[in-house]
Amino acid sequence: MDMRDANGILSSCTSGGCGSKIGPGELAGLLSPLPVTADPDLLVGYDARDDAAVYRMGDDVAVVSTLDFFPPMVDDPFVFGGIAAANALSDVYAMGGTPLFALNLVCFPEKMDKAYLAEILRGGADKLIEAGVPLAGGHSIYDREIKYGLSVTGRIAPRRVLRNTGARPGDRLILTKALGVGIVLAAHRVGMAGRAHYGNAVASMLRLNKYAAEAAADFSPTACTDVTGFGLLVHAGEMAGAGVSMRITPGALPILPGAHDYAAEYLLTAAGQRNRHFMEGRMDPEAFAAVAAPVQELMLDPQTSGGLLFSVPEGQADKLLAALRAVEPAAMVIGTVVPRAEWPIVFER
Amino acid sequence: MITIDALGQPCPIPVVRAKKAIAELPGSGGTVEVLVDNRVACENLGKMADGSGYRHETRELPDGNFRTVIVVGAGAAAAVARAPAPERQLLPEAGAGLVVAIGGNSMGRGSEELGRILIKGFIYSLSQLAPLPQAVLFFNSGVKLTFKGANTVEDIQALKDGGCAVRVCGTCVDYFKDEGTVAVGDVTNMYGIVEAMNAGRRLISI
């Protein structure tokens, strides 16, 4: 079903995908004053700024819980549904968990053709089937703009929780998907993205991180997160925490075809600029300024359904990379974990 | 002065409209004023102006919106005008007739380790070009990239599967025979390499 002309759906949305996230700085300011109930069984809460919450149910089992939703970032409703599902499931995979079931979250305009919504839901359900995850229910409301996503519940052994912190000096950083989704989508929005480039970006967003997570199961990464709306640098900065620094090799980054050129034409998102603000004071400014402007933008570019970022001991890096490339051909070693430097993020010159 | 009302329009639309207006300025230059409803859009306009060598200034208006004024000097507008028009596809997906000669298993100078990361990314990127290069040629230590177990084999195979000729220097394979055997590509002699170079429209040598 092709309804893009009838609805002009993208032009009605102020921003789509993970680019719609509230900026990382603003969010931290909102969350930090909230009162919380301490609970020793809450192994990962929002204070950890991790991908999903983890709650221990017993010595050998914990629940992983996450939710994600956003406005459309592509024209085709079926594809949008699939991307939203892949993106929501990703948080469970990034924690090392196995999704058990999912619930739909739907906001849809009362006056819009419900066939469009049916296609979104079909796209989401189709992706859940690929992941082997049953749909267990959901919640739908009328809203002025379309939004769709899912809440996903998974299971994990408490001892096998793969946090976003824990990287150790000497580890190698491996990114599984190419960067530039936000920039290619921005180019598409203004009709300037080549068909093949747009197709590549969509295929990347639709790819489940399940396969990369499974490929990594035989290894012992020290940390993992999925790279989404905050872009590579903010997510890598979260991974650095207070203990180590991440030395990124800008020349080694996997980049979606076309994205570098679109960035050079300033086809940039607002979210990327918000990420840049957040990183001020969190990365080596001189080394960052020495990086070519388009590559700077790619490192800050919001990724919808982006790849997994693993920190893995050096001795396992080559083999893990080879295993990952069987399912994610763009996977690359993009940097090294180093002892804490002046900044959480530093750059290979 | 050209005024663009980009209120309510998300990035990158204000930048695209500003660039289009600048391209239409006369050779003597001029001023383009863009109205937007958020500061981040002004910052993205500023990056475009800085990167293109234009002066720019942003003011917050009493109604909470913003006005960015971009001043384009003489000659600068003409430079933009010569660039591809925004309506056209930015990247002509050209590459037909491209031949890539790879003479080492590391890319660039400075760090051998970095060079190996780069060459892997380079070959992957080649495999993502549309259309693919006409031929990729490997000689000297570049032949090791085609050896069994090399992390580049898969991408070279993808190039080959896509119809790109992959030629590997036989003398070089023999020289490095203690380090491995060719997993992908057609082993050829110098004549085959020169022939492939000569048949291309453009040659990139790494």
Side-chain angles (χ1 to χ4, degrees):
Chain A
M1 181 173 339
D2 189 342
M3 290 175 284
R4 62 194 75 173
D5 295 330
N7 289 281
I9 205 68
L10 276 182
S11 57
S12 76
C13 298
T14 46
S15 62
C18 285
S20 323
K21 278 174 95 161
I22 293 177
E26 209 174 340
L27 190 61
L30 289 166
L31 293 179
S32 57
L34 290 184
V36 292
T37 303
D39 185 332
D41 287 319
L42 182 63
L43 302 181
V44 181
Y46 75 80
D47 53 326
R49 293 200 302 198
D50 213 319
D51 305 304
V54 179
Y55 193 88
R56 181 168 50 204
M57 305 292 286
D59 286 346
D60 298 322
V61 65
V63 166
V64 190
S65 181
T66 179
L67 69 87
D68 254 303
F69 64 97
F70 41 50
M73 78 305 288
V74 294
D75 309 282
D76 185 316
F78 180 81
V79 171
F80 167 53
I83 291 170
N87 184 70
L89 288 161
S90 174
D91 286 327
V92 175
Y93 298 127
M95 298 303 297
T98 306
L100 292 171
F101 60 89
L103 306 170
N104 273 336
L105 299 160
V106 177
C107 304
F108 199 77
E110 191 170 2
K111 293 196 175 112
M112 194 177 275
D113 185 354
K114 298 299 181 294
Y116 194 94
L117 176 56
E119 279 298 283
I120 294 176
L121 297 177
R122 201 168 68 81
D126 190 64
K127 191 51 69 175
L128 287 175
I129 284 174
E130 181 189 338
V133 177
L135 181 67
H139 181 65
S140 322
I141 60 165
Y142 287 125
D143 192 3
R144 281 195 313 181
E145 282 192 1
I146 299 172
K147 296 171 198 79
Y148 172 65
L150 303 96
S151 166
V152 184
T153 302
R155 66 177 292 159
I156 191 169
R159 278 179 298 277
R160 294 197 58 97
V161 174
L162 192 48
R163 294 171 193 261
N164 64 352
T165 54
R168 289 187 302 240
D171 283 1
R172 294 292 186 265
L173 296 170
I174 298 180
L175 177 63
T176 64
K177 287 188 189 179
L179 299 170
V181 163
I183 285 166
V184 174
L185 291 175
H188 175 71
R189 184 187 281 273
V190 292
M192 291 166 79
R195 183 185 277 269
H197 297 153
Y198 177 67
N200 253 303
V202 167
S204 175
M205 289 187 284
L206 277 171
R207 216 156 48 242
L208 286 171
N209 280 335
K210 168 184 165 71
Y211 308 113
E214 286 169 355
D218 296 335
F219 299 84
S220 37
T222 53
C224 179
T225 190
D226 58 346
V227 175
T228 56
F230 295 155
L232 172 67
L233 292 185
V234 178
H235 289 293
E238 287 174 351
M239 198 182 250
V244 295
S245 289
M246 301 300 181
R247 192 174 68 206
I248 307 289
T249 308
L253 299 172
I255 295 169
L256 280 173
H260 188 283
D261 297 82
Y262 300 136
E265 293 288 332
Y266 307 100
L267 301 178
L268 308 173
T269 63
Q273 181 65 11
R274 287 195 289 269
N275 292 340
R276 178 182 289 263
H277 282 300
F278 184 77
M279 287 310 294
E280 281 165 11
R282 293 178 166 90
M283 60 182 175
D284 180 347
E286 278 179 33
F288 184 71
V291 175
V295 180
Q296 291 183 9
E297 298 297 344
L298 287 159
M299 291 192 289
L300 297 163
D301 185 46
Q303 307 299 292
T304 297
S305 191
L308 297 177
L309 178 63
F310 288 102
S311 181
V312 64
E314 184 187 2
Q316 296 183 18
D318 281 349
K319 284 195 171 139
L320 174 56
L321 182 67
L324 287 170
R325 283 171 73 102
V327 289
E328 288 288 355
M332 291 286 277
V333 174
I334 62 146
T336 309
V337 182
V338 295
R340 183 60 171 208
E342 186 178 357
W343 314 92
I345 301 287
V346 294
F347 299 93
E348 182 103 39
R349 294 265 200 166
Chain B
M1 177 159 69
I2 302 172
T3 298
I4 296 167
D5 178 356
L7 296 174
Q9 298 185 333
C11 292
I13 294 171
V15 167
V16 171
R17 292 186 64 194
K19 284 175 67 179
K20 202 167 162 184
I22 290 166
E24 284 163 10
L25 289 173
S28 55
T31 303
V32 173
E33 173 191 73
V34 191
L35 300 174
V36 295
D37 57 15
N38 67 90
R39 191 177 286 280
V40 165
C42 305
E43 292 167 356
N44 279 341
L45 283 164
K47 279 193 279 194
M48 184 273 288
D50 285 337
S52 312
Y54 313 139
R55 285 188 291 123
H56 63 96
E57 190 183 19
T58 292
R59 287 241 173 96
E60 185 165 0
L61 304 173
D63 60 5
N65 293 319
F66 297 84
R67 179 175 62 197
T68 296
V69 177
I70 300 171
V71 182
V72 179
V80 170
R82 278 198 304 276
E87 297 81 3
R88 289 215 330 258
Q89 188 170 306
L90 269 176
L91 300 156
E93 286 167 324
L98 176 66
V99 174
V100 182
I102 300 176
N105 62 344
S106 174
M107 189 175 183
R109 279 184 295 275
S111 159
E112 189 76 11
E113 186 192 10
L114 174 60
R116 279 167 210 246
I117 295 172
L118 298 183
I119 195 83
K120 185 161 60 174
F122 177 73
I123 291 173
Y124 167 71
S125 302
L126 280 183
S127 75
Q128 298 294 305
L129 279 180
L132 290 175
Q134 180 176 303
V136 181
L137 314 171
F138 296 91
F139 52 93
N140 212 322
S141 63
V143 299
K144 293 190 209 169
L145 300 169
T146 70
F147 279 8
K148 214 166 281 174
N151 58 18
T152 39
V153 165
E154 199 175 313
D155 294 328
I156 297 170
Q157 187 66 50
L159 279 162
K160 194 161 186 278
D161 294 346
C164 167
V166 175
R167 293 191 180 174
V168 187
C169 159
T171 309
C172 315
V173 170
D174 189 52
Y175 185 86
F176 290 111
K177 64 174 182 289
D178 293 339
E179 296 188 48
T181 54
V182 173
V184 56
D186 303 318
V187 176
T188 183
N189 56 18
M190 193 51 83
Y191 180 80
I193 288 178
V194 170
E195 189 186 47
M197 285 176 167
N198 189 44
R201 283 201 291 131
R202 289 181 300 146
L203 176 70
I204 293 174
S205 184
I206 297 297

